[in-house]
Amino acid sequence: MEDKKEITEETQNQYSIEQLDEGIQHVNNPVVGVQPVEKKYLTAVKEYNQLYNNFYFSDGDARVEVRVVSDEIIRVRMAPHGTFLEDFSYAVPQTEQRATVFSFNETVDAYKVSTNTIACIIYKENFHIAFADNIDTIINEDAIAMHWEENLDYGGYYVYATKKATETEAFYGLGDKTVDLNLRGSRLQNWNSDTYSFAKGQDPLYRSIPFYIGINGETSYGIFFDNTFKTQFDFAHENAGQTSFWADGGELQYYYIHGPKMIDVVKRYHILTGTHQLPPMWALGFHQCRWSYYPESKVKDIARNFRERKIPCDAIYLDIDYMDGYRCFTWNKKYFPDPKRMIKELADDGFKTVVIIDPGIKVDENYWVFREGKEKRYFCRRCDDYFMEGYVWPGRCQFPDFTNPEVREWWGGLFKELAETGVAGVWNDMNEPAVFGTGTFPVDVRHNYDGYRGSHRKAHNVYGMQMVRATYDGLKKQYKSKRPFTITRAGYSGVQRYSSVWTGDNVASWEHLKLGTVQCQRLSMSGISFCGTDIGGFSGEPDAELFTRWIQFGVFSPFMRAHSAGDTREREPWSFGEEYEAINRKFIELRYRLLPYIYSAFWEQHRYGFPILRPVAMLEQADQTNHYRENEFTFGDKILVAPVTEPGQKSKIVYLPKGKWYDYWTHDLIEGGAEITVNTPLDSMPIFVRAGSVIPESPLMQYVGEFEPDEVMFQVYYADYEVNSFCYEDHGDTFAYEQDIYMEKKFVVNGDASSFTIRQSIEGLFTPRYETYDLKIISLPFKPARIVVDNKDYAGSLEEDELKCIRIKVNKNFKYIQVLA
Ligand code: MIG
């Protein structure tokens, strides 16, 4: 393929022949073979100029733009012959200038663009670019100047960046890749792919998140390579001292995002690409899915079982068989003669109905969706104007071009009837897009790309994101004031603004359970906190133990749904016999008790960009060992879990980060900063709570909103230092929070050998209906003799129970509680 003579000594140092082959791998290239091309590198900087917050540097031909985006974010773009592409991004909705202070100076060797926090240095002689902090420590720098190859088949360029990697640098991000949590040593690519029963290490998968984090001790930074073409990343794999990323086309355009903490990088990545909308509270409950529940009597039977067995559940899913011949927006009237009535009856029993919608529209002149799409010219076309046709579930299909805003508008409107029928959420599948046989579209398919035009090479990775965007926006219009719930399989950076995701067609194996814990942590660090796996495994048969362990992990997956393929045995929480049913119930109940805490974590994600799942490497990034601890993480700020992912496991070694922790089950106090051995009988899993936490708990309900509670419980853990906790509340399913109708409570606790205080402050315009808090004060190191609540002595009992708790009931508006020895 390659003309090896083209590889000069210089390039050989940088890329092996193997890498060159892979680097320019052509996707479904229907045209000619690869022709020899020459790699070109930026040379020396010859001139510069400035326009507002944009700085331009040129080597006489190629130009580089350096833009100050914020104090902590700088964008770099490169144009091989000086002409930049139109500035448009699906990931970053607002690329325009943000108010910030910056300065520019020139020395003999370099130019420097500085903000208050960071600097971008452009070296004159070799055009290398470096990023430094405000005391001039280099955080990240080019190992090779940015380079490119002309693409003779399609026009444009393959674009490359190669940066220095330190010997111990750890890497994170990139969505839900199935390699080790620390990406160091991996080479990975982004090209959305339907990967049924994917294997460990298989790549690419369903989503493309070209964002990574590099960590060196206490410093870290992020690189967001905002390029929708097929992108590839090499994390010190080819060369232990280098990290490279490159794309099949588009612009070499990336954002440098400053830390120094890993969690800061993630928060700032959210500033660029947005956060999740606050989901309706019910969407955080347990969801039961299967391919497929039909007819109506089966759906009802499943629902009845949940209620009779008293296993909480909020949502039931209808997979493709609810449709008439898999035609989107239709019903199979034989199976579901009166969907509106059925959905209403389910709703009366506390179940939300979620239905699947695929992108393929059946070619059928008697089907109104096809006719409309055809008349309006909304379906994708090949380069010579033939329709893009492919076989999916409905048979021969055409596919809406979701990158066209008019098509998205139309698509959104198609949900009117489903919304009127009472459907509460929509599940978008097959939107990589997946096509039977060929995998996906040929790359010559044309797309509107919001007016910026492109082939499928450019639009492939955003197709699914634009589909779920159209779905979300459409539902939002239909529901008026209610929050829509959407879930998507494919996505690109920023997809979190429109949807939750699941990791696709996993397998019922212990290996996949373990992989799932890694995938969800990684998604969470990559901007997609609202994620989950098919509990139990999609294909294959879990045994009872595996299913139960997966439910336990599911409690601490932001999205909690059991799902299974059609050819598997029954897969509900009661399918494995009474003993297991009882444990599954206990853990689903735990999820429901923790919902106010989980909901607060979602608020912190939505409002402040905090990732919901945080690996221990994020808590203590400077400790090298933590970069190899994969199977434990915190959910939100306060609760650390270590899901059991081995069969027959009797105990597990868990590392607790520095500070004090309580065992959730026994209330034993444990000094962190060390590994401990935790017993893991099947009816338990390692759960720890930070000392000083105030964790809200809901009374047990069978579904969200089953009744209006007259009190809320808080678990208050003693600490001998000051700790803050936050708790968020609102209506749970409206957009009133956008008008500040919500409540954020802050608790500050502190204690010593003979006293413990809890302070509360409340912000916001929302008033909950309950009046009372049931406070459980856990593990006081002294015998309480007196409790003062807002200057009054508390009259009730001060007896501790067997779990070292005292329980007191106080008014929800208390300001100050003091427990004294
Ligand atoms: O070609 O709708 O990942 O969750 O049950 C399979 C049927 C299509 C793949 C999804 C899976 C879903 C299934 N779908």
Side-chain angles (χ1 to χ4, degrees):
M1 256 175 63
E2 281 295 321
D3 180 350
K4 305 229 160 94
K5 269 175 263 157
E6 285 300 314
I7 298 167
T8 64
E9 232 171 67
E10 195 198 349
T11 51
Q12 217 162 24
N13 292 335
Q14 294 145 4
Y15 292 98
S16 70
I17 290 159
E18 176 218 335
Q19 184 172 10
L20 272 171
D21 283 344
E22 281 196 48
I24 55 167
Q25 204 176 74
H26 291 237
V27 184
N28 288 346
N29 185 348
V31 196
V32 288
V34 181
Q35 300 179 28
V37 278
E38 205 189 318
K39 266 201 173 132
K40 299 223 171 93
Y41 296 80
L42 292 173
T43 56
V45 187
K46 292 217 175 73
E47 56 197 20
Y48 81 89
N49 62 303
Q50 177 189 353
L51 195 63
Y52 311 112
N53 56 334
N54 296 316
F55 297 85
Y56 296 92
F57 304 90
S58 165
D59 67 3
D61 187 12
R63 280 211 301 165
V64 169
E65 178 196 85
V66 172
R67 170 182 293 191
V68 178
V69 176
S70 76
D71 259 359
E72 295 88 7
I73 303 173
I74 284 178
R75 187 180 75 171
V76 173
R77 301 205 285 164
M78 194 260 302
H81 295 296
T83 309
F84 291 97
L85 299 178
E86 289 158 302
D87 200 356
F88 170 76
S89 166
Y90 281 118
V92 182
Q94 287 145 1
T95 46
E96 84 276 11
Q97 179 179 359
R98 289 171 180 75
T100 189
V101 177
F102 50 84
S103 64
F104 180 76
N105 55 56
E106 182 179 354
T107 60
V108 188
D109 306 326
Y111 302 98
K112 189 168 159 191
V113 179
S114 314
T115 72
N116 287 325
T117 320
I118 56 174
C120 175
I121 301 157
I122 302 93
Y123 296 104
K124 290 179 183 171
E125 195 188 331
N126 57 11
F127 223 132
H128 285 194
I129 292 184
F131 298 91
D133 63 15
N134 57 5
I135 50 166
D136 286 338
T137 311
I138 302 282
I139 310 287
N140 176 264
E141 65 181 309
D142 285 345
I144 301 170
M146 291 189 272
H147 45 293
W148 64 93
E149 286 163 38
E150 205 171 329
N151 183 335
L152 301 177
D153 298 335
Y154 297 102
Y157 309 90
Y158 299 94
V159 291
Y160 301 79
T162 298
K163 301 186 157 280
K164 286 186 188 163
T166 69
E167 241 167 73
T168 54
E169 191 161 348
F171 298 97
Y172 291 90
L174 239 59
D176 55 350
K177 302 299 189 190
T178 54
V179 295
D180 293 345
L181 190 60
N182 178 354
L183 297 169
R184 189 181 177 90
S186 297
R187 172 181 290 191
L188 298 155
Q189 53 183 289
N190 290 317
W191 183 256
N192 293 357
S193 304
D194 177 4
T195 44
Y196 169 80
S197 289
F198 55 86
K200 182 172 185 193
Q202 185 172 331
D203 184 58
L205 297 166
Y206 303 90
R207 274 167 291 282
S208 296
I209 315 294
F211 161 65
Y212 72 86
I213 304 164
I215 302 181
N216 284 299
E218 294 290 4
T219 57
S220 71
Y221 64 90
I223 298 284
F224 173 41
F225 182 22
D226 189 8
N227 182 307
T228 62
F229 286 72
K230 183 185 191 187
T231 51
Q232 305 203 47
F233 290 80
D234 183 302
F235 299 103
H237 162 92
E238 180 75 23
N239 178 329
Q242 293 178 358
T243 293
S244 297
F245 51 91
W246 62 102
D248 270 11
E251 204 162 56
L252 184 48
Q253 169 186 145
Y254 67 87
Y255 293 83
Y256 168 83
I257 306 170
H258 197 60
K261 295 242 167 288
M262 190 176 174
I263 200 161
D264 301 325
V265 177
V266 177
K267 282 170 70 179
R268 288 175 189 137
Y269 170 74
H270 278 296
I271 294 173
L272 288 172
T273 63
T275 59
H276 289 287
Q277 300 294 325
L278 208 49
M281 184 89 160
W282 65 262
L284 305 184
F286 179 68
H287 298 210
Q288 183 67 43
C289 185
R290 177 149 171 95
W291 179 14
S292 303
Y293 288 134
Y294 70 88
E296 172 176 338
S297 57
K298 178 74 191 176
V299 178
K300 286 291 195 52
D301 185 53
I302 297 293
R304 190 178 330 108
N305 264 283
F306 273 102
R307 296 299 178 246
E308 279 175 14
R309 295 167 188 272
K310 296 225 164 305
I311 299 174
C313 181
D314 262 279
I316 269 193
Y317 283 59
L318 301 179
D319 204 329
I320 48 178
D321 300 286
Y322 80 90
M323 295 183 257
D324 174 16
Y326 306 118
R327 289 171 188 82
C328 293
F329 309 103
T330 67
W331 290 86
N332 179 321
K333 287 289 166 97
K334 199 169 117 236
Y335 298 150
F336 298 101
D338 188 354
K340 192 165 183 173
R341 177 193 40 75
M342 176 187 77
I343 291 175
K344 163 92 175 43
E345 286 165 9
L346 286 168
D348 289 344
D349 206 9
F351 289 95
K352 302 289 191 290
T353 304
V354 179
V355 301
I356 198 167
I357 288 285
D358 288 354
I361 299 300
K362 190 178 178 66
V363 176
D364 172 0
E365 294 292 343
N366 297 317
Y367 169 35
W368 91 98
V369 179
F370 175 73
R371 275 201 321 266
E372 262 184 51
K374 182 180 161 187
E375 276 158 25
K376 298 182 162 158
R377 308 175 63 84
Y378 285 165
F379 295 121
C380 293
R381 297 185 185 225
R382 306 287 301 271
C383 56
D384 291 326
D385 224 32
Y386 297 109
F387 283 107
M388 160 60 217
E389 293 201 332
Y391 285 80
V392 225
W393 290 105
R396 195 154 62 92
C397 283
Q398 294 188 8
F399 301 83
D401 181 8
F402 295 109
T403 70
N404 180 342
E406 210 181 304
V407 175
R408 289 199 296 270
E409 188 68 31
W410 168 69
W411 183 260
L414 295 174
F415 288 94
K416 185 163 192 281
E417 224 178 284
L418 283 178
E420 284 167 1
T421 311
V423 161
V426 172
W427 169 23
N428 280 170
D429 186 23
M430 304 289 278
N431 52 354
E432 291 70 31
V435 175
F436 292 163
T438 56
T440 188
F441 295 1
V443 292
D444 69 295
V445 168
R446 295 176 291 155
H447 292 274
N448 174 284
Y449 212 91
D450 276 63
Y452 294 91
R453 305 158 305 276
S455 76
H456 199 61
R457 297 170 73 238
K458 175 167 154 187
H460 176 80
N461 284 340
V462 296
Y463 187 83
M465 173 189 185
Q466 296 311 305
M467 177 188 183
V468 77
R469 172 187 185 180
T471 302
Y472 181 87
D473 289 347
L475 288 175
K476 191 169 173 183
K477 268 192 200 141
Q478 304 300 335
Y479 294 160
K480 311 216 162 57
S481 62
K482 290 259 189 278
R483 299 175 204 165
F485 168 72
T486 45
I487 169 167
T488 180
R489 196 168 69 176
Y492 178 72
S493 293
V495 67
Q496 68 269 14
R497 299 196 299 272
Y498 314 112
S499 190
S500 64
V501 306
W502 92 107
T503 59
D505 296 341
N506 61 356
V507 181
S509 70
W510 289 93
E511 183 179 60
H512 264 268
L513 169 56
K514 197 184 238 170
L515 271 182
T517 67
V518 170
Q519 289 185 287
C520 289
Q521 290 177 72
R522 207 197 305 287
L523 279 167
S524 201
M525 288 182 277
S526 309
I528 307 176
S529 274
F530 198 4
C531 60
T533 59
D534 283 350
I535 292 174
F538 180 69
S539 62
E541 302 286 355
D543 62 14
E545 184 193 0
L546 176 58
F547 185 81
T548 290
R549 291 302 195 190
W550 216 314
I551 286 275
Q552 292 173 350
F553 165 51
V555 173
F556 297 99
S557 298
F559 174 59
M560 185 183 190
R561 182 183 74 161
H563 183 38
S564 49
D567 55 356
T568 58
R569 289 197 293 272
E570 311 236 290
R571 191 83 72 75
E572 289 82 38
W574 55 84
S575 305
F576 301 90
E578 269 174 42
E579 183 199 338
Y580 295 95
E581 179 180 338
I583 306 175
N584 296 338
R585 178 188 300 106
K586 167 179 162 181
F587 277 90
I588 296 173
E589 286 179 355
L590 175 62
R591 170 85 178 194
Y592 277 75
R593 290 216 163 86
L594 288 175
L595 277 179
Y597 173 80
I598 292 172
Y599 194 50
S600 301
F602 269 82
W603 169 252
E604 289 184 352
Q605 143 62 212
H606 163 75
R607 181 61 178 269
Y608 308 108
F610 282 104
I612 293 178
L613 303 188
R614 308 172 194 173
V616 285
M618 191 181 284
L619 309 176
E620 293 177 348
Q621 68 186 43
D623 181 348
Q624 272 298 318
T625 342
N626 286 343
H627 296 295
Y628 300 91
R629 297 189 206 274
E630 302 210 307
N631 288 134
E632 49 174 285
F633 50 85
T634 65
F635 188 110
D637 184 35
K638 305 293 186 211
I639 298 180
L640 183 140
V641 294
V644 175
T645 56
E646 306 284 345
Q649 195 165 356
K650 297 267 170 346
S651 67
K652 182 166 181 170
I653 293 173
V654 178
Y655 170 76
L656 292 176
K658 294 193 187 72
K660 288 177 182 165
W661 297 84
Y662 288 94
D663 182 309
Y664 179 79
W665 307 104
T666 63
H667 293 165
D668 288 342
L669 179 65
I670 303 154
E671 188 66 49
E675 286 182 344
I676 55 168
T677 302
V678 188
N679 288 335
T680 54
L682 190 60
D683 65 350
S684 186
M685 76 184 280
I687 306 176
F688 299 90
V689 182
R690 274 184 208 281
S693 298
V694 178
I695 309 274
E697 284 198 6
S698 154
L700 183 60
M701 297 192 195
Q702 295 304 305
Y703 54 91
V704 168
E706 186 189 8
F707 55 86
E708 188 73 47
D710 49 20
E711 57 184 36
V712 165
M713 181 184 275
F714 286 90
Q715 311 252 21
V716 185
Y717 293 82
Y718 172 87
D720 57 2
Y721 44 85
E722 193 174 287
V723 179
N724 296 342
S725 300
F726 294 89
C727 174
Y728 175 84
E729 274 177 79
D730 67 7
H731 289 111
D733 63 352
T734 71
F735 286 94
Y737 67 93
E738 290 178 348
Q739 267 70 55
D740 292 342
I741 316 286
Y742 64 83
M743 175 180 270
E744 217 182 45
K745 298 169 187 165
K746 181 181 176 191
F747 297 95
V748 183
V749 305
N750 203 348
D752 57 32
S754 59
S755 75
F756 182 57
T757 57
I758 311 164
R759 261 181 291 251
Q760 177 183 231
S761 52
I762 298 174
E763 253 177 51
L765 304 173
F766 176 74
T767 319
R769 294 222 202 119
Y770 60 83
E771 287 300 327
T772 312
Y773 286 172
D774 178 1
L775 288 188
K776 247 174 146 185
I777 301 174
I778 298 166
S779 236
L780 290 171
F782 53 86
K783 210 157 174 39
R786 197 181 152 206
I787 294 185
V788 182
V789 181
D790 293 336
N791 297 326
K792 283 203 196 81
D793 266 40
Y794 180 74
S797 153
L798 302 184
E799 275 315 293
E800 287 190 12
D801 67 12
E802 65 284 3
L803 277 174
K804 294 169 270 185
C805 306
I806 47 169
R807 284 176 85 140
I808 60 169
K809 302 222 172 181
V810 296
N811 183 277
K812 66 177 177 192
N813 295 318
F814 87 86
K815 293 207 166 60
Y816 186 85
I817 297 175
Q818 195 170 25
V819 188
L820 299 161

